[in-house]
Amino acid sequence: MRTAQVSPRRWWLRRTLRFRITVVATGVALLCLLAFTLLAPNLIGLVQVSAVDSELAKGGRARVLDTAGNPLDGGPRPDLTAADIRRLKAGEPVLRIDGPSAHRWIGRVEFAPDGTPRLHVAGDTLVGYQRANVLGTRWLAVAAVLVAGLVGIATWLAVRSSLRPVERMRVAAAEL
């Protein structure tokens, strides 16, 4: 004996209108929230970097280097690559992610009284940068699923309430 296969479209159309609307609304809410969750690491990182930048702009952990990146202030050579030095000389900030932490550097070229260019840099470690991004993303993913579930429940109740008069008309028509 052969069992009849039901196509997904036919199966879908056999569901109640309330069910279909609820599934679509919940699915759309979940997709939107999960898309936002995918952007979360960038947003969380942006907040962290912005907070550090405002502190660095005040002169925290400032160093004076020559334009090749060699220290002129008697301190140790900073952990900056040649590409990092080029970016800092151009006025671009540098964010280096090394394992669980990250390092942020800002810089600008200033001229000494004798006209020699000097690279003034300020840098600091963003403690917990990666961990905050991972935890923040996980919590947002959990929240997305919970909110999508709430959207589903709210949609189910709203559609049920909205279709109650239609159901009464259907029952009355069936009794005729």
Side-chain angles (χ1 to χ4, degrees):
M1 194 180 214
R2 197 169 171 197
T3 58
Q5 294 263 341
V6 178
S7 74
R9 181 172 168 21
R10 189 171 170 140
W11 178 88
W12 177 254
L13 292 174
R14 288 167 121 179
R15 304 299 107 192
T16 64
L17 183 59
R18 181 184 339 166
F19 175 84
R20 289 184 282 165
I21 290 171
T22 300
V23 168
V24 169
T26 304
V28 168
L30 183 60
L31 287 175
C32 291
L33 291 167
L34 288 178
F36 176 73
T37 301
L38 292 175
L39 297 173
N42 292 335
L43 297 173
I44 294 168
L46 184 64
V47 168
Q48 289 175 302
V49 167
S50 176
V52 169
D53 282 355
S54 65
E55 292 300 314
L56 291 176
K58 295 175 186 174
R61 297 197 181 179
R63 301 287 312 274
V64 179
L65 313 174
D66 65 17
T67 54
N70 299 311
L72 298 175
D73 57 8
R77 182 173 172 82
D79 185 24
L80 293 167
T81 66
D84 294 339
I85 297 294
R86 279 193 300 277
R87 289 185 65 197
L88 290 168
K89 287 192 299 189
E92 298 174 23
V94 171
L95 177 65
R96 295 196 36 222
I97 300 170
D98 303 319
S101 64
H103 302 278
R104 180 66 165 186
W105 293 89
I106 60 172
R108 66 185 180 282
V109 174
E110 293 183 1
F111 293 92
D114 65 357
T116 308
R118 301 283 187 241
L119 180 58
H120 289 253
V121 298
D124 208 348
T125 301
L126 284 78
V127 178
Y129 179 81
Q130 293 286 60
R131 183 84 174 132
N133 284 338
V134 169
L135 282 176
T137 302
R138 282 185 189 157
W139 279 108
L140 281 172
V142 169
V145 171
L146 292 174
V147 169
L150 290 174
V151 166
I153 292 168
T155 302
W156 179 269
L157 295 173
V159 171
R160 183 179 76 175
S161 173
S162 299
L163 292 179
R164 197 168 281 143
V166 175
E167 180 63 22
R168 277 191 236 128
M169 287 189 293
R170 188 189 67 73
V171 169
E175 290 176 353
L176 292 176

